[in-house]
Amino acid sequence: MPPQTRRGANARDKLREYRRKRDFASTPEPTGGARTRTVKRKAKVKLPTFCVQKHLASHLHYDFRLEHKGVLLSWAVPKGPSLNPKDKRLAMQTEDHPLDYGEFEGVIPEGYGAGIVVLWDRGTWEPEVDDVDRAIEKGDLKFKLNGVKLKGSWVLVRTRGYSTGGPSRSWLLIKHRDDWAGDVDVTELAPRSVKSNRDFAEILAADEPEVWESHRPGGGGGAGGKLMQEIIAEAAKLRMGRQSKPRKRAPARAKIRK
Ligand code: MN
């Protein structure tokens, strides 16, 4: 039954045919949606967000994520971003993540990506290309970051080669030469969270760390290696320090230690 013959059909139903015939990405015509009707074309645009999550899983890496069309496009950068334009940092493209993941910091207890996540940087980003989807397809995405630690102009370029069933998943993350470039090691200079000012050990030592429940089956392997052992030991020390403080038992502990 065509919508116009239905009694009481709402505006949405009535406009179905209108919308069906139009591509609102390429026409300036109003969509007819109540919410968008009053929006001026020059209205201030809210910039999409970006974040970098320092992630200690089976290997330490930095997950670089750009908000685009309702998801977070994601790359895992083993060495982390560099402010030095001479550095080309390998960035392996990973699966899109949900938007709310961008605020996550805490412990992933098991399964894929098990380990600790530090929200290392966040802010907004602005493409320096007309069409982000096309830039990604071409493998050359230029953009500006406005984060706490990362700012200015950057580029992600896909490397040549093909992985099974599609274009290469490996990209390079490179800083463009501008006022925000430099040769300090930003991952070493500013290792802590922009959300909590904590690093791995403090997050692990927290009484109730935030836990991200992964609903995907395991497969990525749990966190391991020497770095993880060191962080667990450090976290244990932090917890011990906290528990013993109110009791003021330093002399007794000194005794136990011989
Ligand atoms: Mn990760």
Side-chain angles (χ1 to χ4, degrees), residues 103-116:
E103 280 296 306
F104 174 68
E105 169 172 285
V107 174
I108 303 173
E110 57 189 13
Y112 184 82
I116 314 167

Side-chain angles (χ1 to χ4, degrees), residues 142-157:
K142 295 182 175 70
F143 53 91
K144 244 185 213 119
L145 295 179
N146 188 13
V148 177
K149 301 171 188 176
L150 307 182
K151 294 174 193 293
S153 182
W154 298 71
V155 65
L156 271 163
V157 236

Side-chain angles (χ1 to χ4, degrees), residues 55 61 63 65:
H55 184 187
H61 59 273
D63 289 303
R65 308 189 198 277

Side-chain angles (χ1 to χ4, degrees), residues 195-221:
K195 185 181 184 180
S196 67
N197 199 36
R198 290 169 167 169
D199 208 337
F200 289 131
E202 287 105 330
I203 287 167
L204 192 61
D207 285 326
E208 283 172 41
E210 232 186 291
V211 169
W212 183 267
E213 299 295 351
S214 171
H215 300 292
R216 284 169 300 170

Side-chain angles (χ1 to χ4, degrees), residues 54 62 81 83 120 148-150 180 182-193 197 199:
K54 183 162 76 161
Y62 293 72
L83 303 184
W120 186 79
V148 177
K149 301 171 188 176
L150 307 182
W180 302 106
D183 53 13
V184 292
D185 184 341
V186 68
T187 58
E188 216 156 80
L189 191 76
R192 292 178 171 273
S193 162
N197 199 36
D199 208 337

Side-chain angles (χ1 to χ4, degrees), residues 59-105:
H59 301 281
L60 175 67
H61 59 273
Y62 293 72
D63 289 303
F64 183 80
R65 308 189 198 277
L66 300 174
E67 176 186 354
H68 179 59
K69 292 188 174 170
V71 296
L72 295 171
L73 305 175
S74 299
W75 288 262
V77 186
K79 288 187 174 176
S82 170
L83 303 184
N84 190 337
K86 286 178 187 161
D87 290 335
K88 297 172 169 59
R89 292 284 158 94
L90 178 68
M92 295 300 290
Q93 194 169 9
T94 58
E95 76 277 19
D96 297 345
H97 275 56
L99 278 189
D100 55 354
Y101 197 91
E103 280 296 306
F104 174 68
E105 169 172 285

